[in-house]
Amino acid sequence: MKTFYGTELPNPLMLGTAQYPSPAILEQAFRESGAGVATVSLRREGAGGAGQAFWQVIQDLGVLILPNTAGCHTVKEAVTTAQMAREVFGTKWIKLELIGHTDSLQPDVFQLVEAARILTDEGFEVFPYTTEDLIVAERLLGAGCEVLMPWGAPIGSGRGLTNEYALRAMRAEFPDVPLVVDAGIGLPSHAARAMELGFDAVLLNTAVARAGDPAAMARAMMGAIQAGKLAHEADPIEARDMAEASTPVIGKAFLS
């Protein structure tokens, strides 16, 4: 498995921590999934210690922490949030979200590159939430990012991998860069497909947190991710337009 800024993940599942019905259900979902990374928002750490119970649950899980800049719309806002998150969570990792479109929550890739350059210059290890655009990906790598996180579909939509062609092209273009499908995963089959394409990890939140049984869905997601990873490593066959007999005809009995 590729390393992420020199750190090898316990497994390829990164799980978000928002929208769960309760901290207890969040904890149960994490333990059932075995996810090795938790994404957390600085907004959960409210004034007066309002987020302390949540933070204690996350700490007790013993997972790697990936703070994010969720909800930021400007470079200044994202950079400031990242700086505060580094102080609160004690890590150089930052999932850089810079939203440019209100309805689709599509990232503003122009500001994203600018913010990524500022943060990497300040020593952050940036995980940029981006589109599947190859030119933007090149710019992000040029800005110092060592990981790319293209979306599968809009955040929370559950529509899966809506542009599989582009994701496949990104994997081929950057074979040595750790790639994470972030956003849009709704079903375990979506997560499995991302891994079958050769992605290194999957980040998801809503599909688990808002499922009728978050713990069961978390377990299903991990099973699917492991299956997809194994399938990719097994070098699957290419799809064909024509049938091909699986039983050899040599030695077939001749009936007169």
Side-chain angles (χ1 to χ4, degrees):
M1 187 172 185
K2 292 185 178 67
T3 61
F4 292 70
Y5 292 103
T7 298
E8 185 170 351
L9 305 186
N11 59 62
L13 175 58
M14 301 179 177
L15 195 54
T17 56
Q19 305 184 72
Y20 288 87
S22 70
I25 293 176
L26 180 154
E27 180 179 6
Q28 187 182 11
F30 264 82
R31 296 201 184 283
E32 287 289 335
S33 74
V37 176
T39 61
V40 296
S41 171
L42 185 65
R43 297 171 192 275
R44 296 294 299 265
E45 291 297 296
Q52 287 305 307
F54 160 80
W55 180 225
Q56 187 60 54
V57 169
I58 300 301
Q59 287 180 304
D60 291 344
L61 290 171
V63 297
L64 296 165
I65 303 299
L66 177 58
N68 63 52
T69 61
C72 292
H73 292 262
T74 67
V75 170
K76 182 178 180 180
E77 189 179 12
V79 169
T80 301
T81 301
Q83 292 167 338
M84 294 172 66
R86 180 165 58 183
E87 295 300 319
V88 171
F89 298 109
T91 175
K92 293 187 292 184
W93 281 13
I94 189 73
K95 179 192 168 189
L96 182 59
E97 288 186 33
L98 231 161
I99 301 304
H101 190 267
T102 303
D103 293 333
S104 67
L105 301 183
Q106 181 167 340
D108 181 332
V109 296
F110 304 101
Q111 292 199 87
L112 182 70
V113 172
E114 182 180 352
R117 183 173 290 108
I118 293 171
L119 291 173
T120 55
D121 285 347
E122 292 186 7
F124 282 90
E125 295 174 341
V126 179
F127 294 65
Y129 163 62
T130 183
T131 65
E132 64 278 83
D133 188 294
L134 295 182
I135 305 305
V136 175
E138 289 180 347
R139 297 289 189 275
L140 288 167
L141 295 173
C145 297
E146 297 181 11
V147 175
L148 297 172
M149 303 182 79
W151 65 349
I155 294 172
S157 68
R159 301 187 66 84
L161 310 183
T162 57
N163 194 348
E164 184 174 313
Y165 165 78
L167 293 174
R168 191 191 298 271
M170 179 174 282
R171 178 70 288 174
E173 183 71 15
F174 306 110
D176 299 323
V177 176
L179 297 180
V180 183
V181 168
D182 177 13
I185 299 296
L187 294 169
S189 56
H190 300 155
R193 186 58 183 153
M195 299 304 294
E196 288 171 355
L197 292 176
F199 277 71
D200 300 292
V202 172
L203 195 160
L204 56 92
N205 187 167
T206 306
V208 168
R210 300 188 64 177
D213 186 340
M217 184 59 77
R219 187 167 61 250
M221 286 292 183
M222 176 56 85
I225 287 169
Q226 291 174 333
K229 182 174 184 292
L230 285 172
H232 176 72
E233 294 171 348
D235 190 16
I237 65 170
E238 294 291 335
R240 294 168 54 92
D241 292 330
M242 301 297 291
E244 180 181 40
S246 57
T247 302
V249 296
I250 298 176
K252 180 181 178 182
F254 178 74
L255 301 177
S256 60

